[in-house]
Amino acid sequence: MTKNTLFKIIIFDFDGTIGDTNTCIIRTFNRTLEAMGLPMVDEVSISNLIGLPLRQMYEEILHTDDRGIIDRAFNIYRSLFMGISTTTVTLFPHVAETLHTIHNKGIMMAIATSRGRDSLRALLHTHGIDNYISTDCCEEDVVNKKPAPEMVERILSEMGMSAQEALVVGDTWYDIKMGHDAGCATCGVTYGNHSREMLSAHGADTIIDSFDELLQVINKPSHPNETQN
C-alpha cells in the first residue's frame, strides 16, 4: 500500500482513540482492587496498560497468574464498569462529526478492541455513533489478543477486504503492532495513552494529534500528481 491510497475500511481501537475512558477504567480498576481487599495502584501504572485485555492488565498489576484471583477481578470489574461509565466516559473532540464524514464517503468502519462486546456496544449506542460501525471484534472473539493481528485479520475476513485496503487507527503501540503485523497501514493518535515517540518507535505510518486530522490521512490523492480537493 502507498500512502496515497484511499482506504476502503478503517479499523479503530476504542479506548483512548474514540472514547475517553481513562477516568472510568482507572476508577473501576481501583474499585475492583478495593472490593478484593487489595491496595489500589497509581493512575500511570493503569494507563500504561490500557489497550491490553483486562485479565492481562490485572496479571501485570498484581504480578500473579492465579486464575482464580484474575477471574474474580475480571468479574467484579465488569459488574462495576457500566455504572461508573455513565458519568465518566465521553467521546474525544471531533469524533462524532468525523465518523459522520467518513461514513458519508462510503468508507466502512469497524472496531477492534480489548473491551467486551456488551460494554462496547452500550457505549457506542449511548454516544450515538453505533450506526457508523459495520462490525466489531472484541475480547471474547479471539484467542490471540492485542498486539497479535488476529482481531484485524478476523474483521478483514468478515468484510471480504484485503489488508492493503485497510487503515488501523489506535492510541497504543499494541494497536500499531496489531495493524502492522496484519499487513495494514497504521495511524497513531497522540491524545490517548501512549506518546508520539512510542507510537513512532513501533512503526506508525502516520501520527495525528486530533481525531479530525484523520480526514487528511484518508483524503490524500491516489496519485502523486493529483491535488487534494
Side-chain angles (χ1 to χ4, degrees):
M1 176 183 290
T2 68
K3 292 182 180 179
N4 295 318
T5 302
L6 180 63
F7 304 101
K8 293 185 178 179
I9 185 168
I10 303 177
I11 301 173
F12 295 101
D13 167 58
F14 183 81
D15 297 282
T17 302
I18 287 177
D20 186 354
T21 55
N22 265 36
T23 297
C24 182
I25 291 172
I26 291 167
R27 189 172 300 174
T28 309
F29 198 96
N30 269 328
R31 284 193 184 174
T32 298
L33 295 177
E34 185 179 28
M36 296 174 69
L38 297 171
M40 293 187 285
V41 298
D42 64 279
E43 295 184 2
V44 173
S45 296
I46 300 171
S47 292
N48 286 340
L49 296 174
I50 291 175
L52 292 176
L54 181 59
R55 284 187 173 89
Q56 187 174 344
M57 290 177 67
Y58 276 108
E59 288 174 6
E60 298 280 347
I61 292 292
L62 298 177
H63 305 291
T64 182
D65 58 2
D66 186 313
R67 301 317 302 170
I69 294 174
I70 299 304
D71 286 345
R72 184 181 174 214
F74 179 89
N75 291 328
I76 293 172
Y77 181 102
R78 287 289 180 88
S79 71
L80 293 172
F81 180 86
M82 290 312 297
I84 296 172
S85 72
T86 56
T87 58
T88 56
V89 175
T90 60
L91 297 181
F92 283 107
H94 312 299
V95 165
E97 59 265 38
T98 302
L99 294 181
H100 179 75
T101 300
I102 294 171
H103 178 75
N104 285 347
K105 288 178 176 291
I107 299 173
M108 306 292 285
M109 289 179 283
I111 290 180
T113 179
S114 297
R115 175 171 299 285
R117 175 164 290 105
D118 288 348
S119 66
L120 172 68
R121 292 190 174 176
L123 289 169
L124 293 175
H125 179 73
T126 295
H127 293 284
I129 58 172
D130 50 329
N131 57 313
Y132 299 134
I133 306 302
S134 296
T135 191
D136 53 52
C137 188
C138 299
E139 188 273 340
E140 60 263 46
D141 296 324
V142 294
V143 174
N144 301 303
K145 319 295 186 183
K146 292 183 184 183
E150 186 176 342
M151 283 187 170
V152 170
E153 293 169 344
R154 184 182 176 104
I155 288 171
L156 293 176
S157 177
E158 177 184 344
M159 303 305 292
M161 293 187 180
S162 69
Q164 290 72 33
E165 296 172 309
L167 175 67
V168 175
V169 182
D171 70 304
T172 70
W173 74 260
Y174 320 127
D175 302 306
I176 301 305
K177 181 170 173 55
M178 173 181 68
H180 182 271
D181 288 358
C184 302
T186 57
C187 176
V189 304
T190 62
Y191 52 78
N193 290 293
H194 288 177
S195 67
R196 174 181 291 273
E197 292 73 23
M198 189 176 293
L199 296 168
S200 178
H202 285 84
D205 296 308
T206 307
I207 299 176
I208 59 177
D209 299 313
S210 177
F211 194 84
D212 56 344
E213 292 176 18
L214 186 59
L215 296 177
Q216 299 173 27
V217 178
I218 66 174
N219 284 339
K220 288 181 178 178
S222 57
H223 299 287
N225 293 329
E226 292 181 12
T227 57
Q228 287 184 247
N229 293 328

